[in-house]
Amino acid sequence: MADSRLQFVRMIAARAGALVMGVVASVIIARALPPEGRGTYYMAVTVGTAAMALGHLSVEQAQTAMWSDKASRASLEGNSVPLGLIVGAGAALAAMVAAAVFQGYANMPDLWLLATACAGVPLGVGVLYASNIAVLRDRPHVAALAPLAGAVVQCSCLAAVGLTGHLTVYTVVVVWSVSLAVSLAVLIGAGGVTVGRPRMGLARTTCGKGLRLHAGSAASYLLLRSDVFLLNALAGPRAVGIYTLAVTLAELSRLAVDVVAQITLPRQFGRDVGESAAVAARTVRLMVLLGAVSALTMVVAVSVLITPVYGAAYAEAAAFVAWLVPGILLLSAGRPVATFLLRFRSPWFVVLPSLTALAVNIGLNTVLIPAWGGVGCAIASTAAYTALVAVQVTSFVRMTGIPWRQLLPTASDTAQITGRLRRRPKELGMGRAQ
């Protein structure tokens, strides 16, 4: 129990530290750049992250699906970093070709800035694959330490350049790419993943399995970030600068929920359908509880602090956060259900809900952004996230026979879970099924 408690404390400390560094970095950027400049920087980084998300081939999902085969684990681990760098390089090249084609349209940044962002893509894909392996190896504290190290370097560099008064959009993007290199180095150096000689046969098998899941993964990413592209095209960089700050702040509320998801992921493996379903249901109850508390805390904190900390130019972000937080936390709380469906159902049970929610998101954004700007974008996103989770929960309930009410904490369940959260981190989310 002591080891589990130490692991939990390390993870919370690492995630909290990374979030604090992220907040400090966002303040430095907001104070140095006007909303238009922040919007331009964020669009360049979004192109880079889009290249990662659309080009990573869902290898991390294939790793998760194949982890049950113990004989393949060492090879999956050894392949993760080299495969990430290779796949990421291909994704970066594809992104630059697309950027050249669309240059001059939809308020896109210039090619040099986009090339700088895309330089971080291979590193980011390597971090993605390696972090997933660290979690599957039951070393989530290392997976949490990597982004902390990257965030510390990012924040330190931004602060150092900012003190000279020479912080520009370009330097912010350079620092972002460097932070990904630091995260990957920590994952390897801290023992989260071992780099081995690539096994090309297994690499092809992993990529092939991942590709069968990739439509859903790509749709899930576009569900989360298509609003930024649409907002940039329909409202311009200033709106993007304010809205993406709100997204950054709203996602801070996921700290406790994401830690629970990482800790409990290994417990869903090595079990039959019934046991895995029970673990998923208990975990969702805990995550719903933590999410509700986090959502309320974040909305109140942002409404009070946004103007004093970030300046009057970003005051609108408070309203955006209030609309975004419910959807973001609902989506996070549904992760155990999505993992269960990934293991025990056809990949289309993951793909189709994501595609449906993406269509809802694009349709609503196209209508609401011209009318309400960033608020309309936030409303559309929350509606789409809710639609996705509703479809996933419906599939889960029909397959397992577990009533949907058992995914919501009751008064007694809440007391039991909060008591265990205080006293026994080892048993997070593992209370009796109601």
Side-chain angles (χ1 to χ4, degrees):
M1 187 171 85
D3 290 342
S4 180
R5 182 180 292 110
L6 179 61
Q7 184 184 76
F8 178 78
V9 171
R10 285 176 175 175
M11 283 190 65
I12 285 289
R15 291 299 301 272
L19 290 176
V20 169
M21 292 295 101
V23 170
V24 174
S26 69
V27 172
I28 294 171
I29 294 169
R31 289 293 186 177
L33 304 176
E36 293 84 355
R38 190 185 189 283
T40 300
Y41 138 72
Y42 202 92
M43 279 307 305
V45 169
T46 298
V47 169
T49 55
M52 296 179 206
L54 301 179
H56 64 60
L57 308 183
S58 292
V59 165
E60 83 289 354
Q61 291 192 50
Q63 290 171 334
T64 299
M66 297 169 68
W67 197 251
S68 298
D69 181 8
K70 294 183 179 180
S72 299
R73 290 182 179 180
S75 297
L76 285 170
E77 179 180 353
N79 271 8
S80 58
V81 173
L83 185 59
L85 296 175
I86 294 170
V87 171
L93 179 60
M96 285 306 302
V97 171
V101 171
F102 289 100
Q103 189 66 29
Y105 298 95
N107 300 310
M108 291 298 291
D110 66 74
L111 281 177
W112 183 245
L113 188 64
L114 293 176
T116 304
C118 286
V121 171
L123 300 167
V125 177
V127 169
L128 176 65
Y129 295 176
S131 295
N132 190 59
I133 290 294
V135 172
L136 291 171
R137 291 181 61 202
D138 202 16
R139 296 180 64 82
H141 57 286
V142 179
L145 180 63
L148 171 60
V152 168
V153 170
Q154 182 183 33
C155 190
S156 300
C157 291
L158 291 175
V161 178
L163 287 174
T164 68
H166 294 90
L167 191 63
T168 65
V169 171
Y170 179 73
T171 55
V172 173
V173 175
V174 170
V175 170
W176 175 78
S177 295
V178 169
S179 70
L180 294 173
V182 172
S183 294
L184 184 59
V186 169
L187 277 165
I188 298 171
V193 64
T194 300
V195 180
R197 183 175 181 178
R199 295 180 178 270
M200 300 311 297
L202 181 63
R204 287 191 295 270
T205 300
T206 309
C207 290
K209 189 174 186 65
L211 279 171
R212 292 195 292 273
L213 302 167
H214 195 51
S217 176
S220 295
Y221 171 79
L222 291 173
L223 173 64
L224 294 172
R225 292 295 179 261
S226 62
D227 53 354
V228 176
F229 287 99
L230 290 169
L231 188 63
N232 188 60
L234 297 174
R238 183 181 185 280
V240 171
I242 298 172
Y243 178 78
T244 53
L245 175 61
V247 172
T248 298
L249 295 174
E251 289 183 344
L252 295 178
S253 60
R254 297 169 46 181
L255 169 62
V257 176
D258 284 350
V259 167
V260 171
Q262 287 190 323
I263 288 177
T264 57
L265 178 61
R267 301 180 186 183
Q268 290 188 250
F269 292 92
R271 301 170 182 267
D272 60 24
V273 175
E275 288 180 299
S276 292
V279 171
R282 292 194 290 268
T283 304
V284 168
R285 292 208 301 274
L286 174 58
M287 294 170 78
V288 168
L289 173 64
L290 294 177
V293 174
S294 298
L296 179 60
T297 302
M298 181 55 60
V299 170
V300 172
V302 170
S303 66
V304 172
L305 298 175
I306 187 70
T307 299
V309 174
Y310 289 93
Y314 293 93
E316 294 175 72
F320 301 166
V321 168
W323 284 106
L324 283 166
V325 162
I328 288 173
L329 289 171
L330 186 62
L331 194 62
S332 297
R335 284 173 60 184
V337 170
T339 299
F340 177 87
L341 295 175
L342 177 64
R343 287 192 65 202
F344 294 109
R345 298 305 300 263
S346 162
W348 285 105
F349 277 82
V350 177
V351 172
L352 287 179
S354 297
L355 292 174
T356 301
L358 175 61
V360 171
N361 195 21
I362 292 174
L364 288 176
N365 271 302
T366 302
V367 173
L368 296 180
I369 289 175
W372 296 336
V375 169
C377 194
I379 293 172
S381 296
T382 290
Y385 302 162
T386 302
L388 173 60
V389 175
V391 173
Q392 290 175 335
V393 168
T394 299
S395 297
F396 177 80
V397 168
R398 288 178 177 175
M399 178 180 176
T400 64
I402 295 176
W404 66 267
R405 293 180 183 83
Q406 288 194 19
L407 301 178
L408 300 174
T410 63
S412 60
D413 196 30
T414 300
Q416 182 184 37
I417 292 173
T418 52
R420 291 195 175 202
L421 184 60
R422 290 193 302 268
R423 297 191 304 271
R424 302 177 69 184
K426 183 178 180 180
E427 298 188 11
L428 273 174
M430 302 301 290
R432 286 176 61 89
Q434 298 296 317

